């Protein structure tokens, strides 16, 4: 009798029909055991499936004359690069079902005719202004069309997807990823403060590996379907790389608030041979395809 009293009575189950689960208890329990709550797991949205809704072609060319010092005021890429060398054509597949506004704006700048509106320009005859070896290249910098930069038309809608977390779900996982450049955007501050400013600068990853530093910061909206060899050729183009001493002086100038530091960095990673988009446009898509595989 005494021995039975030495042990406490067994724990009785609670009569409360509602289990007292907190957010912390669910998280801790899920790491140790598998909870049998189908409603909790089914509520999580599945990863997005990128479906190609649009196809765009871009032709890239090399121009040996654009950066010559004897340019006149009226010279543009179209006048200076009549003897350019075609690198090749790239076919881009765009994910209009995931980021329709980003795709629509990009497509508009690929097919718009700048001759119909002298105050705007498309991607045609604009520069690939930066190449970061082994990572990506940048194109579509905003500014003056006579300098090979883009001036988006006033009718181009604002891209509200730049503040939508769902637009940043895809990653820069391989070469040939097409992305709207937000974190790496190097448009001048004066242009960004303009009420008519639109995000149109884009990047394409060149490989050989992924670029995780770009994830969750830039909007992936397409992929290279054909012409990955052209992308590699652009990536192998020699670029301007400042020496270590120049970088140190630049960092010091930026620390003291010297605006010339940012202006000096504008030519870093610039191709030593002019690369530009000599032509671009849309291709018909008869039937949207599922996740593409690169060649």
């Amino acid at each position: 009798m005494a021995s039975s009293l030495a042990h406490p009575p067994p724990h009785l189950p609670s009569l409360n029909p509602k289990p007292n689960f907190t957010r912390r208890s669910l998280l801790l329990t899920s790491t140790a055991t598998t909870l049998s709550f189908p409603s909790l797991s089914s509520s999580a949205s599945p990863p997005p499936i990128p479906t190609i809704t649009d196809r765009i072609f871009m032709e890239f060319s090399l121009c040996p004359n654009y950066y010559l010092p004897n340019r006149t005021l009226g010279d543009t890429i179209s006048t200076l690069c009549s003897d350019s060398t075609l690198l090749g054509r790239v076919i881009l597949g765009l994910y209009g079902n995931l980021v329709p506004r980003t795709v629509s704006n990009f497509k508009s700048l690929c097919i718009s005719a700048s001759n119909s509106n002298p105050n705007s320009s498309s991607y045609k005859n604009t520069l690939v202004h930066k190449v970061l070896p082994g990572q990506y290249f940048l194109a579509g910098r905003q500014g003056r069309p006579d300098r090979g930069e883009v001036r988006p038309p006033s009718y181009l809608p604002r891209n509200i997807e730049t503040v939508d977390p769902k637009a940043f779900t895809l990653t820069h996982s391989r070469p040939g990823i097409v992305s709207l450049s937000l974190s790496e955007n190097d448009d001048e501050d004066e242009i960004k403060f303009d009420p008519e400013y639109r995000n149109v600068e884009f990047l394409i990853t060149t490989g050989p590996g992924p670029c995780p530093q770009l994830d969750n910061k830039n909007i992936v909206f397409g992929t290279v379907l054909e012409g990955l060899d052209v992308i590699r050729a652009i990536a192998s183009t020699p670029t301007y790389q400042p020496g270590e001493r120049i970088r140190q002086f630049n960092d010091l100038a930026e620390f003291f608030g010297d605006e010339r530091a940012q202006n000096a960095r504008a030519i870093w990673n610039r191709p030593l041979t002019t690369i530009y988009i000599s032509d671009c446009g849309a291709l018909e898509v008869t039937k949207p395809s599922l996740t593409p595989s690169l060649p």
Side-chain angles (χ1 to χ4, degrees), residues 28-263:
L28 292 176
T29 308
S30 63
T31 59
T33 60
T34 303
L35 295 177
S36 58
F37 296 123
S39 61
L40 292 178
S41 59
S42 62
S43 62
S45 57
I49 299 177
T51 301
I52 294 174
T53 58
D54 302 89
R55 287 195 305 167
I56 292 292
F57 76 88
M58 280 190 169
E59 293 182 354
F60 294 88
S61 297
L62 295 176
C63 173
N65 302 323
Y66 186 73
Y67 288 118
L68 292 179
N70 57 350
R71 291 178 54 196
T72 62
L73 187 61
D75 284 335
T76 62
I77 287 184
S78 59
T79 60
L80 287 171
C81 299
S82 57
D83 58 346
S84 60
T85 302
L86 179 65
L87 277 176
R89 170 176 284 204
V90 176
I91 307 297
L92 307 177
L94 309 183
Y95 305 142
N97 63 323
L98 294 180
V99 280
R101 177 57 63 200
T102 302
V103 167
S104 176
N105 284 0
F106 181 81
K107 186 177 178 181
S108 295
L109 284 172
C110 288
I111 64 178
S112 62
S114 58
N115 294 334
S116 61
N117 188 352
N119 295 321
S120 66
S121 64
S122 64
Y123 287 131
K124 185 177 179 179
N125 291 328
T126 58
L127 297 174
V128 173
H129 58 275
K130 280 190 178 180
V131 177
L132 282 78
Q135 300 182 61
Y136 56 90
F137 68 77
L138 289 165
R141 176 184 170 96
Q142 290 190 50
R144 293 169 47 180
D146 62 314
R147 293 181 177 175
E149 298 169 338
V150 178
R151 181 177 295 166
S154 58
Y155 59 79
L156 195 72
R158 291 189 179 277
N159 191 347
I160 59 176
E161 291 168 348
T162 58
V163 293
D164 183 0
K166 296 180 181 178
F168 297 83
T169 53
L170 297 181
T171 61
H172 304 74
S173 55
R174 50 183 166 76
I177 295 295
V178 187
S179 178
L180 186 66
S181 180
L182 301 177
S183 67
E184 309 304 316
N185 185 292
D186 60 354
D187 293 334
E188 296 180 1
D189 290 339
E190 182 180 353
I191 295 177
K192 291 180 179 179
F193 293 148
D194 191 317
E196 299 300 324
Y197 178 74
R198 301 291 187 268
N199 294 101
V200 298
E201 186 175 332
F202 67 95
L203 62 86
I204 299 180
T205 58
T206 60
C211 292
Q213 74 277 15
L214 302 177
D215 295 344
N216 302 313
K217 301 175 183 177
N218 307 277
I219 300 177
V220 173
F221 66 92
T223 187
V224 174
L225 298 177
E226 299 177 21
L228 199 56
D229 57 330
V230 180
I231 301 299
R232 295 193 188 102
I234 296 174
S236 64
T237 304
T239 59
Y240 171 73
Q241 299 295 330
E244 184 62 29
R245 191 172 183 84
I246 294 178
R247 291 180 181 272
Q248 292 175 357
F249 276 123
N250 189 276
D251 292 340
L252 184 63
E254 185 180 26
F255 176 78
F256 285 108
D258 193 333
E259 296 181 355
R260 291 175 296 179
Q262 182 179 1
N263 295 333

